[in-house]
Amino acid sequence: MPSTVTGQRTPTALIVGASRGLGHAIAAELLGRGWSVIGTVRDTSVPTPLHDLADRAEGRVTIEHLDVNAPDHLAPLHERLAERRLDLLFVNAGTTNNERTPIGKVATEDFVEVMITNALSPMRVIEALEDLVSPTGLIGAMSSGQGSITNNTTAGREVYRGSKAALNMFMRSFAARQAETRRGFVLLAPGWIRTALGGPDAPFTIEESVPLLVDVLLAKLGTPGLAYLDRSGQTVPW
């Protein structure tokens, strides 16, 4: 597996939501490719797979505290990372409600929770930390193929779909405000993967999926503009 280390400098990624599941696996994959990784967890006092990774990483994994739904966590995190230069900022956050509930019957509190966690909070993180990212770095968020309006021919998971479509729109606005920069921006649609969110019936495992996802991220690094990409690096229709 090729390393991405160039010259004398080790590239650094901040993976928001890296305690377990896809976020942890992305952190581990980048570490294996020669990167240094900063990973966030909601509770630093509770052992997680990220803590185990840090124990084996010989100082190349840093664990930071961040609840993405707590805006007051962002300024202290920015201050702690002020001396770090990031090549990749990637926000992995997601939740869902009862996927069979049609939108008109969704409880208001469920709607608010999903929309804040999946759409508003990732953009708050990106807006708060984007100045730590290299001028030629990559900023991204975990979207979903279910955020594609064009591809929605089956309904179901309607609040989740809407939250990811909202994330896509917000990210597109953010990228448009930075149209003159050399940074890359990416919305990643990983496919249906066996995670706590994806469930046991998903066709893809984390082990087979994450190397492909990291390939897509690294291929986009250094390429300006926003892309909405699947696990194979193909464009997903908006």
Side-chain angles (χ1 to χ4, degrees), residues 122-123 126-127 130 135 137-141 166-187 220 223-228 238:
M123 295 311 304
I126 288 170
E127 296 267 11
E130 60 91 12
L138 178 66
I139 298 174
L167 172 66
N168 292 352
M169 179 61 79
F170 298 153
M171 191 67 170
R172 192 157 187 173
S173 293
F174 175 77
R177 284 188 267 122
Q178 301 201 25
E180 302 304 317
T181 73
R182 293 178 294 158
R183 285 178 180 154
F185 305 95
V186 64
L187 290 155
K220 185 69 173 81
T223 304
L226 173 64
Y228 180 21
W238 299 97

Side-chain angles (χ1 to χ4, degrees), residues 3-233:
S3 169
T4 57
V5 177
T6 58
Q8 299 300 311
R9 182 177 174 273
T10 301
T12 299
L14 171 57
I15 309 299
V16 173
S19 60
R20 55 182 55 82
L22 277 179
H24 163 260
I26 290 171
E29 181 72 16
L30 287 168
L31 185 71
R33 299 194 191 199
W35 284 59
S36 292
V37 176
I38 306 164
T40 73
V41 299
R42 281 187 294 180
D43 187 349
T44 55
S45 67
V46 177
T48 70
L50 184 65
H51 289 81
D52 295 336
L53 183 66
D55 289 342
R56 304 189 303 268
E58 300 180 344
R60 288 197 292 125
V61 172
T62 304
I63 298 177
E64 291 286 352
H65 176 221
L66 176 66
D67 181 341
V68 296
N69 289 341
D72 59 330
H73 287 189
L74 291 170
L77 177 61
H78 186 283
E79 184 176 353
R80 294 194 299 273
L81 298 179
E83 302 303 317
R84 304 290 296 267
R85 177 184 172 189
L86 305 178
D87 299 279
L88 168 64
L89 166 59
F90 189 76
V91 182
N92 174 55
T95 190
T96 190
N97 67 321
N98 187 326
E99 62 185 47
R100 291 181 293 276
T101 305
I103 186 63
K105 296 184 178 180
V106 171
T108 299
E109 57 269 26
D110 290 345
F111 179 86
V112 170
E113 179 187 4
V114 174
M115 293 297 289
I116 288 176
T117 302
N118 292 2
L120 178 58
S121 290
M123 295 311 304
R124 280 177 168 162
V125 172
I126 288 170
E127 296 267 11
L129 304 179
E130 60 91 12
D131 66 306
L132 301 176
V133 180
S134 162
T136 57
L138 178 66
I139 298 174
M142 191 70 80
S143 184
S144 169
Q146 294 189 359
S148 169
I149 294 174
T150 300
N151 285 348
N152 182 8
T153 60
T154 60
R157 306 190 81 188
E158 292 176 19
V159 177
Y160 181 82
R161 287 180 184 274
S163 70
K164 291 298 186 177
L167 172 66
N168 292 352
M169 179 61 79
F170 298 153
M171 191 67 170
R172 192 157 187 173
S173 293
F174 175 77
R177 284 188 267 122
Q178 301 201 25
E180 302 304 317
T181 73
R182 293 178 294 158
R183 285 178 180 154
F185 305 95
V186 64
L187 290 155
L188 194 56
W192 190 10
I193 301 174
R194 275 172 242 156
T195 63
L197 186 64
D201 297 327
F204 302 121
T205 67
I206 288 179
E207 291 76 15
E208 68 184 313
S209 301
V210 166
L212 300 176
L213 300 178
V214 171
D215 284 344
V216 173
L217 291 175
L218 298 186
K220 185 69 173 81
L221 186 66
T223 304
L226 173 64
Y228 180 21
L229 302 174
D230 67 14
R231 61 195 281 123
S232 300

